[in-house]
Amino acid sequence: MSVENISNEENKKSLNFIETIVEKDLAEGRNDGKIQTRFPPEPNGYLHIGHAKAICMDFGLAQKYNGICNLRFDDTNPTKEDVEYVDSIMEDIKWLGYDWANVYYASDYFQQLWDFAVQLIKAGKAYIDEQSAEEIAQQKGTPTQAGTDSPYRNRPAGESLELFEKMNRGEIEEGAMVLRAKIDMASSNMHFRDPIIYRIVKHPHHRTGTTWKAYPMYDFAHGQSDYFEGVTHSLCTLEFVPHRPLYDLFIDELKELNSDNSDYRPRQYEFNRLNLTYTVMSKRKLLQLVNEKLVNGWDDPRMPTLAGLRRRGYTPQAIRNFIDKIGYTKFEALNDVALLEYAIREDLNAKAKRVSAVIDPVKLIITNYPEGQIEMMEAVNNPEDESMGTHEIAFTRELYIEKDDFMEDAPKKFFRMTPGQEVRLKSAYIVKCTGVSKDESGNIKEIYAEYDPMTKSGMPDSNRKVKGTLHWVSAEHSLPAEVRLYDRLFKVENPGEEKDKDFRELLNPDSLIVKKQARVEKELEKSKPLDNFQFQRIGYFNMDPDSTHEHLVFNRTVPLKDSWSKIKSK
């Protein structure tokens, strides 16, 4: 096999099944060689990481094959929609690194959809049904039992048209009647059993105001909007597989009623949605968390929303890498959130600046270091990237170290600070603990140590082997900070499967621990909100948007390792 053929074979193996379909369509000249996708979110909430998978597919596919991807808001339910959500969705897409060719709304097509519905009524393929929602649901039957016809199924077209107009003029109350497509009440596909295609909603629309009172249902609006726009590949998740025959049927009807004999038609393809352990993706449940103040808004760093992940310190590259690793298939799966955490560690390891921060400080006094002396130590910004250079950190007689890094009566394999044992202070000296002072309750107030002046990093004796290295900050030349230690929002792996419990009972009580007495090195006063850092030996953090020059706030993105034992509140 030639080098070229080997390369081609490797390329084919790396394609996901939708890319394989697209390449076949292009090779066959389907749709005149055009690729057009769309990302169609409902503007009724903030996007979460599951939407990011769809965004990467819709925009990424168009990007890869020189096509276009439009952003189309599915705004057919005015009771739940808001301009706030429209703005947040646009921000999230751009943050992920994508842009749209055009912005459309399903409401752009309300008149065309209305005209199509009227055509169906006139052709005897749709009728107004005055039954209640409960009666309609009961008459639909079951997957193994045929449905029964509505008593209004053979209503004269003229009568249905007149009622349809009244629905839209606001002369009919909500829930009093609907427009149903007349298809097949005995079909094995439940979606074919005379689906509802229009209902009454008397709530002002965020774009069209009170112009419309009758609104199309998703299954009726979606495929037709694709058709009006020129979409070639309509990509969605697996729950829409049984909807596809209805999608195709409505497009067939639309083409036939409008004498469209062209070869063009949009085609729907489905892939598996993104499910994560220790997470819920249901918009309803996420909205509950926000409305019931169980989290601090849509951008709470514990939320799986893109706004929350951004605030927590996740990067667009890490999210795209994670989605690329899990891939696209036709089978549902529950992805381990540890894979997402691995992706952000991998990304930040290569680009995050290393700094010193002490979360639970205890004072360390170097008794033989000159009082009032300040020594500037050189700290490497990122050992993975020499081009990031170095910065200076002040070393003084009085320092802070982590409480957990000291143990007075330590076990044999405790390689941190304990009386009589040497440790290295990172980027500085080797020190030996000589004792402690305690308060009346027996709590340690101060730790005492002596330093060896010949062991400064870079000096000949600096290579002397010691088993522990600790991070530290100067007591005088560090800054106070609030550190928010975020963890997984739920304490069970798959909260969606715990059917016998309210999902709110499954919340992790330790998903947020706030440390208000932390100390960070002065280098961090130059930081901007959302800047990423590695707090040495602790984890990856970023500056929260709440942070001010007077009150620094940092969020933990992830610990350095999965096995990292988080600092518990005392």
Side-chain angles (χ1 to χ4, degrees):
M1 186 180 288
S2 69
V3 172
E4 184 180 350
N5 287 338
I6 290 171
S7 176
N8 289 338
E9 285 298 312
E10 287 176 350
N11 183 50
K12 285 178 184 176
K13 286 176 186 174
S14 68
L15 296 178
N16 62 54
F17 75 96
I18 292 177
E19 290 170 334
T20 301
I21 290 168
V22 167
E23 293 205 354
K24 183 173 182 289
D25 290 346
L26 288 171
E28 293 174 354
R30 180 174 280 180
N31 299 313
D32 298 322
K34 184 178 77 168
I35 298 297
Q36 183 169 320
T37 59
R38 81 289 168 270
F39 176 60
E42 297 174 73
N44 62 1
Y46 281 62
L47 297 183
H48 55 60
I49 193 166
H51 297 109
K53 183 174 183 179
I55 290 169
C56 290
M57 171 57 84
D58 290 322
F59 287 93
L61 198 71
Q63 218 172 59
K64 182 171 182 176
Y65 294 102
N66 299 315
I68 64 170
C69 180
N70 294 322
L71 171 58
R72 184 177 76 232
F73 291 100
D74 175 26
D75 56 345
T76 58
N77 186 358
T79 61
K80 296 182 178 180
E81 296 158 2
D82 197 286
V83 174
E84 174 194 352
Y85 299 135
V86 171
D87 293 341
S88 73
I89 288 167
M90 289 180 165
E91 181 184 2
D92 287 343
I93 293 170
K94 290 199 170 183
W95 176 72
L96 269 180
Y98 297 104
D99 204 352
W100 45 84
N102 304 283
V103 177
Y104 295 124
Y105 295 80
S107 54
D108 293 337
Y109 310 117
F110 279 174
Q111 186 62 56
Q112 288 163 279
L113 292 166
W114 173 272
D115 293 342
F116 177 37
V118 167
Q119 287 179 308
L120 290 174
I121 294 170
K122 287 180 177 178
K125 295 181 177 181
Y127 62 95
I128 296 293
D129 194 329
E130 295 182 51
Q131 295 181 103
S132 68
E134 293 75 17
E135 289 172 319
I136 291 173
Q138 190 174 14
Q139 288 176 350
K140 282 208 169 187
T142 69
T144 56
Q145 181 183 356
T148 55
D149 288 355
S150 163
Y152 300 98
R153 196 170 197 265
N154 295 314
R155 173 171 245 158
E159 192 177 311
S160 282
L161 275 174
E162 185 179 346
L163 290 171
F164 193 38
E165 292 283 357
K166 284 186 175 182
M167 282 171 60
N168 199 46
R169 288 198 297 265
E171 297 172 20
I172 311 292
E173 291 307 307
E174 288 188 19
M177 57 183 66
V178 294
L179 180 67
R180 295 177 69 180
K182 188 190 291 186
I183 306 177
D184 181 3
M185 290 301 292
S187 173
S188 58
N189 186 331
M190 298 290 286
H191 296 286
F192 272 34
R193 296 187 185 180
D194 291 11
I196 297 170
I197 57 176
Y198 266 85
R199 82 289 198 198
I200 302 166
V201 181
K202 292 186 176 181
H203 189 284
H205 189 279
H206 70 104
R207 292 187 74 239
T208 61
T210 57
T211 302
W212 299 93
K213 312 290 189 307
Y215 284 87
M217 301 295 288
Y218 176 86
D219 274 341
F220 188 70
H222 183 63
Q224 280 55 261
S225 298
D226 285 346
Y227 173 82
F228 297 144
E229 269 173 38
V231 169
T232 58
H233 297 78
S234 179
L235 310 174
C236 55
T237 46
L238 289 172
E239 65 264 34
F240 291 99
V241 169
H243 296 248
R244 193 197 320 142
L246 184 60
Y247 176 101
D248 290 335
L249 176 71
F250 281 140
I251 288 173
D252 288 340
E253 297 280 9
L254 183 63
K255 286 170 66 72
E256 182 183 328
L257 289 170
N258 290 278
S259 303
D260 178 1
N261 299 315
S262 70
D263 291 333
Y264 164 71
R265 65 176 301 118
R267 297 180 188 275
Q268 179 176 301
Y269 301 98
E270 308 86 10
F271 57 87
N272 61 334
R273 62 191 301 166
L274 196 163
N275 297 303
L276 273 184
T277 55
Y278 301 97
T279 312
V280 295
M281 296 291 193
S282 158
K283 271 190 180 179
R284 177 181 61 81
K285 290 180 179 176
L286 294 177
L287 185 60
Q288 275 183 269
L289 290 171
V290 172
N291 288 344
E292 296 174 21
K293 302 193 184 305
L294 297 168
V295 295
N296 300 314
W298 285 101
D299 67 343
D300 186 303
R302 293 166 291 180
M303 291 279 274
T305 56
L306 294 181
L309 289 166
R310 177 165 61 245
R311 186 170 182 176
R312 186 159 172 169
Y314 275 80
T315 62
Q317 188 63 52
I319 291 173
R320 292 198 305 268
N321 289 349
F322 164 67
I323 289 167
D324 188 52
K325 280 185 174 72
I326 63 172
Y328 297 83
T329 72
K330 295 182 180 181
F331 305 98
E332 292 292 10
L334 181 64
N335 300 110
D336 193 335
V337 71
L339 294 173
L340 176 61
E341 293 167 349
Y342 173 81
I344 187 62
R345 284 191 194 95
E346 187 179 44
D347 189 43
L348 292 182
N349 182 55
K351 64 178 65 165
K353 186 175 186 177
R354 273 57 166 170
V355 294
S356 293
V358 178
I359 306 261
D360 262 331
V362 62
K363 187 167 282 189
L364 171 66
I365 299 177
I366 313 298
T367 55
N368 63 335
Y369 194 83
E371 289 193 43
Q373 181 168 311
I374 303 171
E375 206 171 348
M376 301 310 294
M377 302 299 185
E378 186 176 57
V380 174
N381 286 333
N382 189 329
E384 305 294 321
D385 183 357
E386 288 185 10
S387 69
M388 291 181 66
T390 61
H391 70 277
E392 292 187 326
I393 180 171
F395 184 87
T396 54
R397 187 171 189 267
E398 295 189 2
L399 310 172
Y400 286 117
I401 64 169
E402 294 286 356
K403 285 180 183 175
D404 283 357
D405 278 342
F406 175 80
M407 191 176 289
E408 193 171 12
D409 186 16
K412 190 174 182 180
K413 292 192 176 180
F414 185 78
F415 298 130
R416 287 170 279 171
M417 185 166 284
T418 191
Q421 185 165 289
E422 286 189 331
V423 294
R424 171 167 291 285
L425 298 179
K426 189 166 180 63
S427 304
Y429 296 99
I430 291 174
V431 298
K432 180 189 284 188
C433 177
T434 57
V436 299
S437 67
K438 301 180 182 180
D439 62 20
E440 292 176 355
S441 301
N443 299 312
I444 292 171
K445 286 172 53 181
E446 296 174 341
I447 303 167
Y448 304 110
E450 293 181 349
Y451 85 116
D452 182 341
M454 301 307 293
T455 59
K456 181 179 178 179
S457 293
M459 294 178 70
D461 280 2
S462 66
N463 292 325
R464 195 165 85 216
K465 297 297 181 185
V466 292
K467 292 186 176 178
T469 300
L470 308 185
H471 63 283
W472 52 273
V473 294
S474 164
E476 183 183 354
H477 297 276
S478 60
L479 303 169
E482 177 180 317
V483 173
R484 299 169 181 171
L485 302 175
Y486 289 101
D487 205 341
R488 296 163 186 181
L489 186 56
F490 289 90
K491 59 188 176 184
V492 296
E493 186 174 72
N494 193 354
E497 289 299 307
E498 301 277 342
K499 303 299 184 186
D500 59 333
K501 292 182 181 176
D502 187 303
F503 82 104
R504 288 164 289 200
E505 297 174 30
L506 306 173
L507 289 168
N508 176 11
D510 292 327
S511 63
L512 170 59
I513 295 172
V514 179
K515 296 292 185 180
K516 293 183 179 261
Q517 306 302 320
R519 305 289 298 191
V520 298
E521 62 171 280
K522 273 198 169 183
E523 182 74 8
L524 287 167
E525 67 183 348
K526 306 172 187 174
S527 310
K528 304 186 301 295
L530 303 183
D531 280 353
N532 299 100
F533 303 95
Q534 185 195 103
F535 284 5
Q536 296 187 98
R537 298 181 60 241
I538 301 175
Y540 292 101
F541 290 74
N542 80 327
M543 180 176 272
D544 189 85
D546 285 349
S547 194
T548 65
H549 189 72
E550 296 75 28
H551 181 64
L552 300 176
V553 181
F554 296 91
N555 300 324
R556 184 174 72 191
T557 309
V558 282
L560 285 182
K561 298 178 181 177
D562 284 338
S563 59
W564 187 79
S565 178
K566 67 186 177 187
I567 300 168
K568 298 283 189 179
S569 56
K570 303 297 183 185

